[in-house]
């Protein structure tokens, strides 16, 4: 498949990219940067100029920015934008997409539809229930914060913490309800995430763990123990899933989480179709398993691999060290790598303090790192993960010692 795809790619007249978020925009831009001279069409479901998402949970939400449009001159790059257009299906054998405005043919297709938030069962249609994924979502929530409503956030994950931070900054009373026993239960081990519960309290946010939502009524969230929590607004942050429902029946292989199954060059199971960003998983030789990464950096890096394939180069297999960051409750939290395969965990610093890190090792090599207020640890750790450098766990424990000076 690779030879066929690359041969077609070198002389392809038309590349269509579905999804106008970070992954889709960067794919279109990377094609031009790498010398692709054919037609490039970028299709987006939203009517807005393509924009970046991270500012939505802070600057846009708090009225410090009107939007976060990408600083890209699409016209100058010869990239055709088709915005406000939903794609409803794909017919790989015909090399055509189905849209409400009619079929769109392609020579090469890039799937970059991202992820969509998981909705709270039974809450759809209830007044005052919000998601935070799009610019329109942020615009609807901005006046809610300005009026300083009592706000209930469902889910103490990354987005829940970031929204709670912004709501507290706006002067709202905030209660976060989390079904698990701690924040970030799906992302971090208990011994690492447990100290983060204090961040909520310190900020004046009420965190209720072991709390499941029974139902949402106008103005109230009812928990499964019968507790009624006043809610001028409810913000749901219980995770996201790949936005791939429209691909069912297309023959494109989807994984256990509904993601597009891509190979190590981000090619899908269909000829001439690639997938990049939040909607796709890829095999990682570094971690020995398939990764599905719902973070900005993956959407930034993957497009370079896709573009290189399309212009006929043979790039290295796509196997980045995953990276993301989160600003919450006055702390800058960064994570690199993947700790699932680790056999050793090493703490650096006091987790009740303002600056600390956790390192995960496998056979004495760094595979994952969480840094709170220690950006230098993150920067050095990311390079050490990439290099596979053996580490000395005892030296690592000293937070005064730079990570690069803790090698074996």
């Amino acid at each position: 498949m690779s030879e066929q795809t690359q041969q077609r790619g070198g002389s392809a007249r038309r590349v269509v990219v579905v999804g106008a978020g970070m992954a889709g925009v960067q794919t279109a831009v990377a094609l031009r940067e790498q010398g692709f001279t054919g037609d490039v069409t970028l299709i987006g479901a939203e009517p807005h100029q393509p924009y970046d998402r991270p500012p939505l949970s802070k600057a846009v939400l708090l009225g410090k920015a009107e939007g976060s449009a990408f600083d890209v001159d699409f016209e100058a790059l010869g990239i055709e934008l088709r915005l406000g257009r939903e794609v409803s299906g794909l017919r790989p054998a015909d090399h055509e997409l189905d849209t409400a405005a009619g079929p769109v043919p392609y020579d090469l297709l890039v799937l970059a539809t991202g992820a969509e938030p998981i909705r709270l069962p039974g809450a759809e249609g209830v007044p005052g229930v919000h998601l935070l994924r799009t610019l329109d979502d942020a615009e609807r929530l901005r006046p809610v914060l300005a009026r300083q409503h009592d706000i209930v956030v469902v889910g103490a994950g990354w987005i829940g913490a970031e929204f709670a931070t912004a709501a507290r900054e706006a002067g709202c009373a905030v209660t976060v309800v989390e079904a698990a026993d701690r924040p970030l239960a799906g992302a971090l081990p208990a011994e690492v995430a447990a100290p983060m519960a204090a961040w909520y309290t310190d900020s004046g946010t009420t965190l209720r763990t072991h709390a499941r939502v029974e139902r949402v009524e106008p103005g109230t969230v009812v928990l499964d123990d019968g507790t009624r929590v006043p809610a001028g607004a409810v913000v749901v942050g219980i995770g996201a899933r790949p936005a791939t429902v429209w691909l069912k029946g297309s023959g494109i292989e989807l994984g256990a989480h509904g993601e597009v199954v891509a190979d190590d060059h981000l090619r899908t199971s269909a000829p001439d179709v690639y997938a990049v960003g939040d909607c796709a998983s890829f095999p990682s030789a570094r971690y020995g398993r398939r990764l599905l990464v719902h973070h900005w950096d993956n959407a930034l890096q993957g497009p370079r691999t896709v573009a290189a394939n399309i212009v006929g180069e043979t790039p290295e297999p796509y196997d980045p060290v995953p990276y993301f960051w989160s600003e919450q409750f006055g702390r800058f939290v960064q994570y690199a790598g993947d700790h699932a395969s680790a056999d050793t965990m090493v703490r650096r610093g006091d987790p009740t303090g303002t600056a600390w890190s956790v390192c995960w090792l496998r056979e004495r090599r760094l595979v994952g790192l969480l840094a709170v207020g220690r950006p230098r640890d993150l920067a050095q750790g990311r390079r050490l993960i990439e290099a596979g450098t053996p580490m000395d766990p005892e030296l690592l424990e000293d937070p005064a010692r730079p990570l690069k000076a803790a090698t074996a």
Side-chain angles (χ1 to χ4, degrees):
M1 181 172 73
S2 61
E3 283 185 14
Q4 174 203 4
T5 303
Q6 286 172 7
Q7 285 170 4
R8 283 192 66 126
S11 59
R13 298 181 308 279
R14 183 191 299 109
V15 174
V16 175
V17 182
V18 183
M22 170 62 82
V25 168
Q26 289 299 324
T27 298
V29 170
L31 282 166
R32 293 303 189 217
E33 288 178 344
Q34 296 187 34
F36 181 77
T37 57
D39 294 339
V40 177
T41 299
L42 185 63
I43 300 177
E46 295 180 55
H48 310 289
Q49 279 292 113
Y51 61 88
D52 203 6
R53 292 189 190 279
L56 297 184
S57 62
K58 180 104 175 158
V60 176
L61 202 56
L62 293 174
K64 297 176 180 177
E66 287 304 311
S68 52
F70 290 113
D71 185 18
V72 174
D73 190 335
F74 294 100
E75 187 175 355
L77 289 172
I79 297 168
E80 179 192 3
L81 294 181
R82 297 190 188 180
L83 303 175
R85 182 166 299 191
E86 291 275 358
V87 176
S88 57
L90 167 61
R91 290 173 284 112
D94 299 326
H95 278 61
E96 280 190 340
L97 289 164
D98 291 320
T99 78
V104 177
Y106 65 85
D107 292 319
L108 289 161
L109 178 67
V110 182
L111 307 176
T113 47
E116 57 192 5
I118 296 171
R119 297 177 182 274
L120 186 65
E124 291 189 50
V126 178
V129 177
H130 300 263
L131 298 166
L132 180 53
R133 182 69 183 178
T134 68
L135 181 58
D136 288 341
D137 291 337
E139 294 289 359
R140 280 190 290 267
L141 276 163
R142 189 192 291 186
V144 172
L145 297 195
R147 290 194 294 268
Q148 299 187 336
H149 280 293
D150 289 346
I151 291 178
V152 172
V153 180
V154 183
W158 300 113
I159 192 66
E162 289 177 8
F163 179 81
T165 299
R168 284 298 298 141
E169 190 173 323
C172 299
V174 182
T175 300
V176 178
V177 296
E178 168 57 51
D181 62 349
R182 62 189 186 277
L184 295 170
L188 296 172
E191 64 270 29
V192 175
M196 296 177 176
W199 300 359
Y200 289 75
T201 304
D202 293 346
S203 74
T205 300
T206 300
L207 173 64
R208 301 184 65 126
T209 56
H210 299 287
R212 291 186 178 277
V213 176
E214 179 72 28
R215 64 184 182 277
V216 179
E217 300 172 355
T220 306
V221 173
V222 183
L223 304 182
D224 59 357
D225 65 358
T227 303
R228 300 175 68 86
V229 184
V234 178
V235 177
V236 179
I238 55 175
R241 60 167 63 96
T244 57
V245 172
W246 67 281
L247 288 169
K248 288 185 177 171
S250 68
I252 296 278
E253 182 184 355
L254 301 179
H257 302 284
E259 84 281 8
V260 178
V261 174
D263 69 7
D264 61 1
H265 284 78
L266 301 180
R267 297 175 295 226
T268 74
S269 61
D272 306 322
V273 182
Y274 295 83
V276 66
D278 291 11
C279 71
S281 65
F282 57 90
S284 169
R286 177 181 287 107
Y287 292 107
R289 68 187 185 95
R290 184 166 282 277
L291 298 181
L292 174 59
V293 181
H294 280 187
H295 294 296
W296 188 90
D297 190 66
N298 178 50
L300 179 66
Q301 293 201 59
R304 298 175 196 139
T305 293
V306 171
N309 276 285
I310 287 175
V311 300
E313 296 176 8
T314 48
E316 292 294 309
Y318 185 66
D319 196 6
V321 173
Y323 166 72
F324 71 92
W325 79 97
S326 176
E327 293 181 79
Q328 50 184 269
F329 307 117
R331 291 167 173 82
F332 187 44
V333 184
Q334 296 172 283
Y335 180 96
D338 182 85
H339 65 270
S341 63
D343 53 38
T344 305
M345 188 184 90
V346 179
R347 288 191 183 276
R348 288 168 57 81
D350 180 1
T352 64
T354 57
W356 49 275
S357 298
V358 176
C359 297
W360 286 277
L361 309 178
R362 184 183 66 225
E363 298 174 354
R364 297 177 72 88
R365 297 177 196 275
L366 195 64
V367 293
L369 184 140
L370 174 76
V372 177
R374 290 181 66 96
R376 186 175 298 175
D377 275 8
L378 190 289
Q380 293 181 11
R382 196 174 180 182
R383 289 193 290 269
L384 290 164
I385 294 171
E386 287 175 347
T389 307
M391 307 297 295
D392 184 324
E394 290 187 12
L395 296 180
L396 265 182
E397 287 182 352
D398 179 4
R401 180 186 295 272
L403 275 180
K404 62 184 180 182
T407 55

